[in-house]
Amino acid sequence: MVQNSVAGLRRAFQAVGEPADGKAALNTTVPGYVLRIEPEQLDLTEFHELVTLGRARLAAGDWTQASELLRRALGLWRGPVLADVSDAGLTWPELAALQGLRLAVHEDCIQAELAMGRDRELIGELESLLEAEPTRERLVAQLMVVLYNCGRQPEALERYRRTRDLLADRFGLEPGRDLRRLQRAILSHDPALALRLTAAPGGAADFPSPAAPRAGAAAPQPPRPRPEAAVPAPADDLGAGTTGASAAEHAFRASWERVERRPASVVMVRARWTADSGTLAPERVDHAVKELTAGIRREMAPFGGLVRRAFGSVWLVVFGVPRAHEDDAERALRAALALRRHFEEPGPELGTAATATRPVAHLVVGTGEVVVTYDDSAPEPVEVTGQVLDACQHLLLQVPRGELWAADSTVEAGGAGLGFAPVPGVPGVHRPAPSRPDGRGPSGDPAEPPFLERTHELNLLCGAYRDTVRRQLPHLVTVLGEPGIGKTRLIGEFAASLRDGAGPPPRVLHAGTPAFDAHTPYEPLAGVVRAYAGIRAGAPAAVVLPALTGVVRGLFPHADTGPIVTALAACLGLPAPAASVQGPDGGAVPREEVLDALRQFLEEAAADRPLVVVLDDLHRAADFVRSFVEDLTVRLGPVALLLIAGARSELLHTRPSWGCAKRRSVLLHVAPLSTTATATVIGAAAGRRHPTPADDRRAALADGNPLFAQAYARAADVGADPAAVHPPAVLAVAAAQLDGLDRTARSVLRDAAVVGGTLWRGAVAAVSRRDPEEVGRSLELLESRELLRRVRRSGVPGDVEYVFRYAVSRYVALAQLPGRVLVERHLRAADWAALLDVPRPGLLAFHYDRAIALAEADGTPVETMERRAWEALVGASARAAAAGDDALAVSCLDHALDRCPPGEPERVWLVTHHRRIRDSLGTRDRRSRPAVTG
């Protein structure tokens, strides 16, 4: 009987007429027979490949394509697997696994068609499936949603009741959490039920729940609405429409889009009133608290602090929110010192004459990471939380009356030269020393780096000076560059060369624009006047006015100097002299008169002797000051005045036409150092003559920036995880650069950071859910800001590739996103990588691994994400195999096996499939290898 059956099978194989290399063969092998057949000739292999591709399209939200692929896979089934064998009474675990997979694929197919609006067409199919599997909760949920959306709410609830009774009778169980939540949503007529359930392949449906939405849910795309009831949702924080998302779901997602993590320095102030006797009236306390609040706001305004009333008579001042600065720690310390002086001055008193008392302040300064929540109604955050606030509140209860305590981290970051000393008996805390030092920096300051690769720029400045003196015409040279690139050092070396050169040296006046607490809005022009007159900043009017009058009379011996002195005094922020027309009762001096006086002052000073005026950090100056400087050379007479304006590249971002079509105006861009020069700077800062391999890694992180190079030179280790050792100074610069971007560009940069150090426009568009054209414009802007670099040849055909210039920029951008948002973003990036024509298994695995790790840290279940990970890798393997790249297919399957748990029913097939492709690759290699003869 067996031999007859074998002979019949062989005749059937021969009748097919397939090519010899693909024909199935039934060979006789002791002790029986072996069927040899290529896997692609099995409908089971085709079924697995179609399922993988269909689920990938389902995860990407392509419902039509997903439905077509999954229907084709289901169409391969013509009954139970190996029906003749199972009828004989044999049961194999593999058969049960295949039946379960078939049912799961049916659920996925129905899910896609539900999203397409085919509710009424699916009712009969769902009821037929439930007759065979009445306790399959995902099928029950799908049928309940369909019935509800078809206006048959009682039947949907009845189906839930029948399922609950069946589970209780058979197994003593209650329905699962998702099914119970769906029943409550139907009872409350939740509007989210008008949307499609979009669950990940093989996972539970993501039932709508406005009260408790899930972070890091498996579905990478928002639910899609019914075509007949689509209501456009408001745009989220990224500017992309959340088409079809429910109001509650959108509000939840949008709220997390408006949450940032960022470093900040905080000042916490507590005011106390005490009286020897009697009770303080609440009205008096309220009045004094309001006066103090106004006073604190006035004191904090020059330093850029965000003032918040915490509770009662406690105030919180935050620095670094909503915009970071490179010197937030110093701002916080100086602001706290100013507040302490404010409380020492006469202020509001409470009580009667017998019980009157002044408020006493307790001040604490700390630095740490905070979480900031924003709202569309205002640019300022609505909430600031973090461990640093708790630490400051704890210290606030310990600090003595009238004293100021600062955390070590704050003093280390911004307390150089401010005179802070450790508090005896209190570890980790500093306070202002009784006698302040002379203001010099600490002895441990790094030595000045070697001056390298700036000969060309130095020659240009020297040539501009020689041309100015030779032609007796003013020139403007704007020295531009990023933070830390060496602009100030270049200008300093140029000034030194003028002092050491042949002939009489010119007069060099240097003035900078302070980052905060400027004495006058005319800075740095006021600094030039002070430098020429030898006046100290902050000197009283009784000292300044006589000195200023003497200088002006020397420059204008035959003119009425009164108006000029009055205008220059206004430039220095002083009241006009009593003898002038604009006295205390005469009103302020008009800005035009002040600027005209400055122009005359500079012209006469340059006529007396060649003059070099250096205006550093001009990008910080007021707009009217920058306009004055830009037009100065064309409005001055024939005098030898060289005006050097040092500014960051952001000057051109706010004034793109700076210097355009201006006579005798030059832009000088300071370029990054070469890799060799950067390594030399690092070695010099570390006291080494020859660079080490670690120095090469530091040079790569610094990327030609001398400031960064010195900071990384002092870093302990830049080995396996360089992101963990970015120095605070570098982090501060990077954070300030990011906050200088507009909202859209900053958001796109964060999404680019999620994609990786190497990124593509399509990937960023998928992560941010923005229009690719808009993303392309933002990436071009980020490239112009020197945050990204374009790669000439993209690794993804048809896409544009970029890399982060500085690793610290990506680190800071990622650090600003909460973990829950990062999970969602990494899943979107994984969905993009899963659909690449040429699979990148490492990239796909990286994003899934990051999403899973972040979700686990947040306490979110990750089983669905883990399944999505290995299924996506299997799909990538199928595309690679279809393209004939078996090596890439094996690599994808290697990653898939690493992420497929041992207990997964489909792991058996996965291992077999992996072995088959690997063996096929080995056979092909052996065939292509030339024969070896003896």
Side-chain angles (χ1 to χ4, degrees):
M1 179 184 298
V2 174
Q3 292 176 345
N4 292 336
S5 299
V6 169
L9 281 173
R10 285 172 173 166
R11 287 193 297 271
F13 291 157
Q14 292 174 356
V16 174
E18 294 178 345
D21 58 352
K23 185 183 298 183
L26 189 59
N27 300 331
T28 303
T29 304
V30 178
Y33 301 91
V34 173
L35 177 63
R36 299 191 180 279
I37 186 171
E38 290 297 325
E40 52 267 22
Q41 294 178 281
L42 290 175
D43 52 7
L44 181 60
T45 302
E46 184 181 0
F47 171 76
H48 277 293
E49 293 177 352
L50 287 171
V51 167
T52 302
L53 295 175
R55 284 178 166 173
R57 302 312 306 173
L58 178 62
D62 188 351
W63 318 121
T64 303
Q65 193 74 6
S67 172
E68 292 176 359
L69 290 168
L70 295 176
R71 283 293 177 188
R72 283 174 54 193
L74 292 171
L76 296 174
W77 288 73
R78 294 180 294 275
V81 182
L82 302 178
D84 52 346
V85 177
S86 58
D87 288 344
L90 297 177
T91 57
W92 295 340
E94 289 80 1
L95 300 183
L98 282 173
Q99 293 290 357
L101 175 61
R102 178 188 183 185
L103 192 55
V105 172
H106 219 135
E107 291 171 338
D108 293 338
C109 183
I110 291 173
Q111 200 69 50
E113 293 173 354
L114 281 174
M116 296 166 61
R118 299 179 181 175
D119 301 78
R120 301 182 188 279
E121 305 170 21
L122 294 171
I123 292 178
E125 184 176 358
L126 282 167
E127 289 179 339
S128 298
L129 290 171
L130 281 171
E131 287 182 5
E133 297 286 342
T135 58
R136 189 86 173 187
E137 292 195 18
R138 190 180 179 196
L139 288 173
V140 173
Q142 290 173 334
L143 181 56
M144 289 173 63
V145 172
V146 168
L147 292 172
Y148 177 86
N149 287 333
C150 291
R152 298 162 64 176
Q153 296 94 327
E155 295 179 51
L157 295 173
E158 175 62 20
R159 171 60 68 173
Y160 174 82
R161 186 194 62 78
R162 287 164 53 189
T163 304
R164 184 187 61 189
D165 293 344
L166 191 60
L167 288 171
D169 293 342
R170 289 190 181 181
F171 310 105
L173 297 174
E174 282 290 317
R177 179 186 60 184
D178 290 337
L179 202 58
R180 296 197 306 270
R181 195 168 62 187
L182 176 60
Q183 185 237 8
R184 291 195 297 270
I186 291 175
L187 289 172
S188 62
H189 294 280
D190 193 324
L193 286 170
L195 308 171
R196 299 288 170 257
L197 292 147
T198 54
D206 187 13
F207 300 110
S209 176
R214 292 188 299 164
Q221 301 288 342
R224 301 217 174 173
R226 291 177 173 276
E228 66 272 13
V231 179
D236 61 13
D237 187 48
L238 299 180
T242 54
T243 307
S246 66
E249 183 184 21
H250 164 74
F252 176 77
R253 182 174 65 250
S255 67
W256 277 102
E257 297 282 4
R258 290 163 173 78
V259 175
E260 294 179 350
R261 292 171 49 188
R262 55 170 62 235
S265 294
V266 299
V267 177
M268 196 168 286
V269 188
R270 180 187 179 198
R272 297 179 62 191
W273 287 272
T274 59
D276 296 333
S277 61
T279 302
L280 300 178
E283 294 83 359
R284 300 294 301 275
V285 174
D286 176 71
H287 176 71
V289 166
K290 289 177 179 176
E291 284 194 0
L292 274 180
T293 301
I296 291 174
R297 292 186 185 277
R298 285 194 303 270
E299 293 291 334
M300 295 300 98
F303 303 97
L306 177 66
V307 181
R308 292 297 183 88
R309 271 283 301 282
F311 54 89
S313 56
V314 176
W315 290 263
L316 173 68
V317 189
V318 187
F319 296 86
V321 176
R323 177 172 179 175
H325 303 87
E326 301 161 27
D327 49 9
D328 282 320
E330 181 183 357
R331 290 170 182 251
L333 291 171
R334 292 188 180 274
L337 292 170
L339 274 180
R340 190 179 65 163
R341 293 191 297 268
H342 174 74
F343 276 92
E344 291 173 352
E345 296 172 354
E349 294 184 349
L350 300 182
T352 62
T355 63
T357 180
R358 288 185 29 73
V360 178
H362 309 250
L363 296 101
V364 171
V365 188
T367 299
E369 193 172 65
V370 298
V371 176
V372 186
T373 304
Y374 293 91
D375 192 354
D376 283 339
S377 60
E380 294 185 353
V382 296
E383 187 176 7
V384 180
T385 60
Q387 181 64 32
V388 62
L389 305 185
D390 297 334
C392 287
Q393 188 175 8
H394 177 71
L395 277 180
L396 198 61
L397 301 176
Q398 304 178 48
V399 61
R401 297 173 54 185
E403 287 201 16
L404 162 63
W405 283 5
D408 280 352
S409 57
T410 312
V411 175
E412 181 181 356
L418 293 181
F420 279 82
V423 177
V426 185
V429 178
H430 283 63
R431 66 183 177 189
S435 59
R436 294 188 53 183
D438 56 7
R440 292 174 296 180
S443 58
D445 283 350
E448 200 168 33
F451 188 67
L452 302 171
E453 298 184 341
R454 297 287 185 248
T455 304
H456 175 67
E457 293 87 345
L458 190 59
N459 289 337
L460 288 177
L461 290 175
C462 292
Y465 172 71
R466 289 193 296 268
D467 195 43
T468 297
V469 175
R470 179 177 60 85
R471 300 174 59 190
Q472 289 291 299
L473 289 175
H475 284 72
L476 169 64
V477 179
T478 307
V479 181
L480 295 173
E482 63 186 27
I485 202 65
K487 304 180 297 294
T488 302
R489 177 69 186 281
L490 171 64
I491 296 172
E493 292 291 334
F494 165 67
S497 70
L498 293 179
R499 290 192 298 268
D500 301 336
R507 187 192 302 270
V508 180
L509 304 179
H510 190 285
T513 309
F516 58 90
D517 198 20
H519 291 86
T520 167
Y522 289 93
E523 299 288 356
L525 301 175
V528 174
V529 176
R530 286 193 292 265
Y532 188 92
I535 300 172
R536 180 179 56 85
V543 175
V544 173
L545 288 176
L548 183 62
T549 302
V551 167
V552 172
R553 286 176 178 173
L555 291 175
F556 301 90
H558 306 294
D560 181 11
T561 59
I564 298 178
V565 171
T566 299
L568 293 181
C571 174
L572 299 180
L574 299 176
S580 66
V581 177
Q582 289 84 6
D585 299 327
V589 181
R591 178 182 297 171
E592 292 76 12
E593 294 185 15
V594 174
L595 297 179
D596 186 63
L598 281 166
R599 192 177 300 110
Q600 296 180 55
F601 174 83
L602 291 173
E603 184 172 328
E604 292 301 324
D608 177 62
R609 175 182 172 187
L611 183 64
V612 176
V613 176
V614 178
L615 304 176
D616 212 354
D617 295 320
L618 189 64
H619 58 279
R620 296 174 179 164
D623 189 65
F624 75 88
V625 172
R626 291 181 294 194
S627 298
F628 173 81
V629 172
E630 186 181 16
D631 296 336
L632 185 60
T633 56
V634 298
R635 302 189 66 180
L636 287 176
V639 293
L641 170 63
L642 176 61
L643 191 62
I644 301 178
R648 294 184 180 176
S649 302
E650 61 194 67
L651 175 66
L652 297 184
H653 305 153
T654 56
R655 299 177 69 94
S657 61
W658 177 270
C660 292
K662 300 290 184 182
R663 290 181 297 167
R664 301 183 295 278
S665 180
V666 178
L667 291 179
L668 176 59
H669 291 268
V670 182
L673 298 177
S674 67
T675 303
T676 303
T678 306
T680 303
V681 171
I682 292 173
R688 292 187 294 269
R689 291 186 177 181
H690 303 288
T692 65
D695 288 344
D696 293 338
R697 292 192 292 270
R698 292 183 173 95
L701 291 172
D703 195 33
N705 189 304
L707 174 66
F708 288 9
Q710 284 192 293
Y712 282 116
R714 299 189 296 273
D717 182 26
V718 290
D721 185 15
V725 295
H726 294 301
V730 178
L731 289 171
V733 171
Q737 281 184 307
L738 263 63
D739 282 353
L741 301 170
D742 62 68
R743 187 176 184 179
T744 300
R746 187 164 64 247
S747 178
V748 169
L749 184 66
R750 290 172 183 162
D751 293 330
V754 173
V755 176
T758 302
L759 55 117
W760 297 267
R761 184 179 64 180
V764 179
V767 170
S768 62
R769 290 183 178 169
R770 290 180 178 272
D771 179 70
E773 294 298 327
E774 180 186 8
V775 171
R777 290 191 295 269
S778 296
L779 293 176
E780 290 173 359
L781 172 65
L782 295 172
E783 182 186 15
S784 70
R785 298 291 181 94
E786 301 183 55
L787 293 169
L788 300 178
R789 281 182 179 153
R790 186 180 303 186
V791 178
R792 191 167 65 89
R793 293 182 178 176
S794 174
V796 176
D799 209 336
V800 184
E801 182 175 330
Y802 294 86
V803 295
F804 272 88
R805 181 182 172 190
Y806 293 117
V808 67
S809 300
R810 177 172 180 252
Y811 174 77
V812 170
L814 283 176
Q816 292 181 353
L817 293 173
R820 187 174 296 188
V821 175
L822 281 173
V823 170
E824 181 186 17
R825 296 294 197 272
H826 278 294
L827 288 175
R828 295 179 187 174
D831 292 335
W832 172 83
L835 298 177
L836 289 176
D837 293 334
V838 179
R840 303 175 70 100
L843 183 65
L844 183 59
F846 164 76
H847 286 295
Y848 271 120
D849 290 347
R850 288 299 302 149
I852 291 170
L854 290 165
E856 284 182 329
D858 195 38
T860 304
V862 296
E863 291 78 8
T864 303
M865 276 186 276
E866 289 174 339
R867 182 178 181 86
R868 283 180 61 185
W870 67 262
E871 284 186 343
L873 287 162
V874 171
S877 172
R879 292 198 305 280
D885 193 341
D886 285 352
L888 182 57
V890 170
S891 176
C892 294
L893 289 177
D894 288 339
H895 285 85
L897 280 172
D898 291 341
R899 287 154 185 83
C900 184
E904 181 65 39
E906 294 181 51
R907 185 177 175 85
V908 176
W909 171 84
L910 187 57
V911 171
T912 305
H913 188 54
H914 176 266
R915 185 181 300 116
R916 177 185 66 82
I917 296 183
R918 188 180 57 191
D919 292 345
S920 173
L921 182 63
T923 302
R924 187 177 302 131
D925 290 343
R926 287 193 297 271
R927 289 176 180 174
S928 62
R929 215 174 285 141
V932 180
T933 59

